[in-house]
Amino acid sequence: MADSAGLQQGSPAIGAAGSAPAAPGAGGTGSTEGPGAAGGSARIALKKAQLRTSPRPKKLEKLGVYSSCKAEGACKCNGWKSQNPPPTPPRTDQQSSAVNLQEPCRSCSHTLGDHVTHLENVSEEEMNRLLGIVMDIEYLYTCVHKEEDADTKQVYFSLFKLLRKSILLMGKPMLEAQESPPFERPSIEQGVNNFVQYKFSHLPTKERQTIIELAKMFLNQINYWQLETPSQRRQRVPNDDAAGYKSNYTRWLCYCNVPQFCDSLPRYETTQIFGRTLLRSVFTVMRKQLLEQARQEKDKLPPEKRTLILTHFPKFLSMLEEEVYSHNSPIWSQDFLAGASGGQIPVHTVISAPPVTRPLYYSTSPVTADPSTGGSVSPARKPASALEPSPVGEKRRASEPLIHEENKRPRVMGDIPVELISEVMATITDPAAIPETTLLSAHSARDEAARLEERRGVIEFHVIGNSLNQKPNKRILMWLVGLQNVFSHQLPRMPKEYITRLVFDPKHKTLSLIKDGRVIGGICFRMFPSQGFTEIVFCAVTSNEQVKGYGTHLMNHLKEYHIKHEILNFLTYADEYAIGYFKKQGFSKDIKVPKAKYVGYIKDYEGATLMGCELNPSIPYTEFSVIIKKQKEIIKKLIERKQAQIRKVYPGLSCFKEGVRQIPIESIPGIRDTGWKPLGKGKELKDPDQLYSALKTILQHVKSHQNAWPFMEPVKKTEAPGYYQVIRFPMDLKTMSERLKSRYYTTRKLFMADMQRIFTNCREYNLQRASTTSAPTYWRNFSTPRSKTQDSLRSSMFYNGA
């Protein structure tokens, strides 16, 4: 692993796509990375691939080094060590001697097999995942020894211990921090989006597209920018906020930089989890280096890139710099407004493909707080503000489905035309065309009153929590005390001390419902991101505010909050009085979370029932009842339109009085209006099973006809003398049934030909017999060229699709 660290850095051309990240431990912070880093990343990936293709004993030996001893006697050895280690560690890509599971450990004298007994039944996929963590551990170990900066070395060592622990516990490495991404809102990416909207929305499409390309280029540079270490920054800017920068630098290393090489750790884009604070700390230096780099490498750039970078990019950076360091810039506002009129610009991504957007109102009015104070765990998780509203139209992550994919789906038979939907929607959205449902109506949604109150600003929702590393905010503490009182009063069976401990526990958060400045309800919960679920601990609304839909709206906000944080399962223990409420919110006793995921993580309660709820990330829960209501109205309007067409009465048919024997079914007035369509000429059913089923139905109808008895079986010679001398190609319904079973009828024409042959043969034989002798009694019905019986049979066939 020694060759993986200390990689040389270069400076690729500005705007170069696909530039690789710099390796941790590499020098030269404050610049973009070069091909050396890409080579190091490729070497690490190659070594992981080689290790994963090794024999299973070699894999066990590798994992045994990082696995604690499982021998009896409570051995405390935390990793198997060879008794005779080689002077230099062997390369992963070189074959070594056979692995001996009986070889004793140099530290505890137990065998290698005692260290890997827990891996005997582990799947290859899990084994390869653990081996990937092993490679990352070895790489970080090298980085720790090569890194000279104390702050960076400490982060590497912490990550090294985290990965070692995940190997010992066979779990997924999860960074346990007081705050998790995103750390500031709006993010750098959203701020740049807002800047493009704010300054360039009036430009023509072509010129605006140029600005968007510059914005993409700038964001790409930030995502792969190497931050200078805190010690380097202190030397360059002595009076800057050293503690704040160090905190952001640590987060950047853990969530953005190191995971680019150590793929066992979750990775985030810098521009998506950091905001203006980090951008201010790097913008000046970054702008200077980017422009200097562009001037030095202008001859290497393509002509179209040269004009873009040398002419337009400097001006773009200058205009952006004003907004970055301005205290009154609107692009960093949660409620982004543009223009003197104050009209709100619809927030949507202009830099990348627009994902699904949904309004998330976690706070209807922002509460200003001193930057030094804290205690809030708001949706934005911004340390500079105690409470912060979630942005309107906040975009989903890239993993979520795009709304534009709906337009690309293939048309399905029976789909309603888009024009008709648009016409119906116009009547739905027109206030004059549809009567408004009152809150007291039987058809009003359970949370409709609460939703209207939230829009009017009567109630607010905040996700808050206690903090041990920041100065407590007075308002947050008052709300926490209020929540403790609500839970204690509404949940008398719970000890008050227990409620107080959990509400004020920094690991727990509470979605609080605020009305007239006081707490009237809330849901206390604890998130387990590594296990993929959240435990709901307390849920209550004060008694004089119940039956107003607040509980449903609270739960809907909590679902939205967790979808945003990619946790899609709730677990809770409900007592006999709460089961009904949770059932209405989508909870059931059928737990979707595997038992191994939550056993030992959540507390059991006597006399309570464990219930779970699985969230669907495609559902906007706070607006779900509104959407369902609109869908019902659309269906109702479509049914009304269809019924108006079907109820039309047409005059009776008079053609039969004029001597017409039969008419095509499609000529009957009103038949086509019902949606019936004739099977076009020459159009065959492509599905053999569908054709077989249709022909079988027709044959059964023909055989059940009251006049079909003469044709049920082949004609007997004793009953019809000379029949086979007259009829050269006989046919009957029994023969047709046998042919149908053997799948002889591959087309409708073959079936129709055999059916027609029955009638033709009957007519021909009876005409021949009538000219020579008296026909048998049971043939007389068919002695005329077109008898009523034959017409009746043909009519039966016609109406059954033949």
Side-chain angles (χ1 to χ4, degrees), residues 330-622:
I331 70 172
W332 303 106
S333 171
Q334 291 287 355
D335 300 319
F336 172 51
L337 301 177
S341 62
Q344 185 172 2
I345 291 180
V347 180
H348 63 275
T349 305
V350 298
I351 305 305
S352 56
V356 175
T357 60
R358 68 160 83 208
L360 295 176
Y361 300 90
Y362 283 105
S363 175
T364 55
S365 59
V367 180
T368 306
D370 186 74
S372 62
T373 63
S376 167
V377 189
S378 70
R381 293 182 172 273
K382 181 178 178 182
S385 175
L387 288 170
E388 197 160 315
S390 190
V392 178
E394 182 180 20
K395 65 178 189 144
R396 288 281 188 90
R397 297 185 180 274
S399 60
E400 299 180 359
L402 300 182
I403 194 170
H404 297 288
E405 293 178 0
E406 292 294 326
N407 300 327
K408 298 180 181 178
R409 64 186 179 91
R411 295 285 297 172
V412 180
M413 290 297 294
D415 271 3
I416 301 171
V418 179
E419 297 79 12
L420 180 57
I421 291 292
S422 302
E423 188 178 344
V424 173
M425 281 297 294
T427 64
I428 295 296
T429 54
D430 184 7
I434 178 172
E436 184 176 356
T437 305
T438 63
L439 294 178
L440 299 178
S441 169
H443 300 288
S444 63
R446 190 182 295 114
D447 61 336
E448 190 164 347
R451 184 167 51 249
L452 292 176
E453 286 190 9
E454 183 185 8
R455 288 177 182 173
R456 294 198 303 265
V458 177
I459 59 175
E460 302 174 5
F461 295 88
H462 300 277
V463 177
I464 61 175
N466 195 15
S467 176
L468 298 179
N469 56 2
Q470 293 181 352
K471 186 179 179 180
N473 180 281
K474 232 177 220 185
R475 180 167 296 190
I476 300 298
L477 290 179
M478 287 178 59
W479 285 349
L480 289 174
V481 171
L483 286 165
Q484 184 258 351
N485 290 333
V486 170
F487 292 145
S488 299
H489 183 74
Q490 297 301 130
L491 306 172
R493 293 185 180 182
M494 286 287 177
K496 192 170 184 178
E497 296 79 8
Y498 177 70
I499 293 175
T500 305
R501 179 163 61 87
L502 294 190
V503 169
F504 285 88
D505 182 4
K507 295 179 182 178
H508 289 70
K509 304 173 192 174
T510 305
L511 175 61
S512 55
L513 171 58
I514 312 298
K515 185 175 183 179
D516 298 330
R518 61 185 180 88
V519 177
I520 64 169
I523 300 177
C524 182
F525 60 94
R526 180 177 178 180
M527 303 168 73
F528 295 92
S530 62
Q531 305 305 110
F533 75 92
T534 282
E535 179 189 13
I536 295 178
V537 185
F538 305 125
C539 175
V541 175
T542 187
S543 55
N544 60 339
E545 297 287 356
Q546 291 179 2
V547 201
K548 295 182 180 180
Y550 291 151
T552 297
H553 207 43
L554 257 174
M555 186 62 71
N556 287 339
H557 269 291
L558 188 67
K559 291 175 180 178
E560 289 278 5
Y561 179 83
H562 280 78
I563 287 174
K564 186 183 64 173
H565 287 78
E566 299 182 346
I567 298 178
L568 303 180
N569 283 285
F570 286 161
L571 290 178
T572 187
Y573 274 96
D575 60 25
E576 55 183 331
Y577 303 106
I579 290 178
Y581 164 78
F582 282 110
K583 280 186 176 180
K584 292 176 183 177
Q585 310 309 319
F587 286 72
S588 72
K589 298 176 185 178
D590 181 18
I591 310 300
K592 302 295 184 182
V593 182
K595 195 170 183 179
K597 287 282 187 180
Y598 63 84
V599 170
Y601 286 86
I602 63 176
K603 183 178 178 62
D604 295 334
Y605 294 91
E606 291 183 6
T609 303
L610 181 62
M611 302 184 73
C613 178
E614 187 175 17
L615 306 183
N616 187 332
S618 301
I619 296 178
Y621 285 96
T622 52

Side-chain angles (χ1 to χ4, degrees), residues 278-296:
L278 180 70
L279 186 59
R280 280 180 169 179
S281 63
V282 301
F283 190 90
T284 304
V285 176
M286 182 179 177
R287 175 177 179 270
K288 181 179 178 181
Q289 290 190 16
L290 286 177
L291 296 180
E292 180 64 29
Q293 180 182 328
R295 285 191 290 268
Q296 292 177 358

Side-chain angles (χ1 to χ4, degrees), residues 43 104 211 271 334 487 491 498 626 632 661 711 756 776-777:
R43 284 194 295 273
I211 300 299
T271 56
Q334 291 287 355
F487 292 145
L491 306 172
Y498 177 70
V626 177
K632 287 181 178 179
R661 302 294 297 256
F711 311 104
Q756 185 64 44
T777 303

Side-chain angles (χ1 to χ4, degrees), residues 723 726-727 759-776 779-780 782-786 790:
Y723 181 82
V726 178
I727 303 303
F759 303 130
T760 304
N761 290 346
C762 176
R763 190 180 303 116
E764 183 179 351
Y765 176 73
N766 281 280
L767 285 174
Q768 182 73 18
R769 290 287 294 166
S771 63
T772 58
T773 183
S774 298
W779 289 105
R780 286 177 183 170
F782 296 88
S783 59
T784 58
R786 293 297 299 259
Q790 187 176 352

Side-chain angles (χ1 to χ4, degrees), residues 21-33:
T29 53
S31 64
T32 50
E33 60 293 327

Side-chain angles (χ1 to χ4, degrees), residues 30 87 122 322 426 509 750:
V122 171
E322 293 180 9
K509 304 173 192 174
L750 288 173

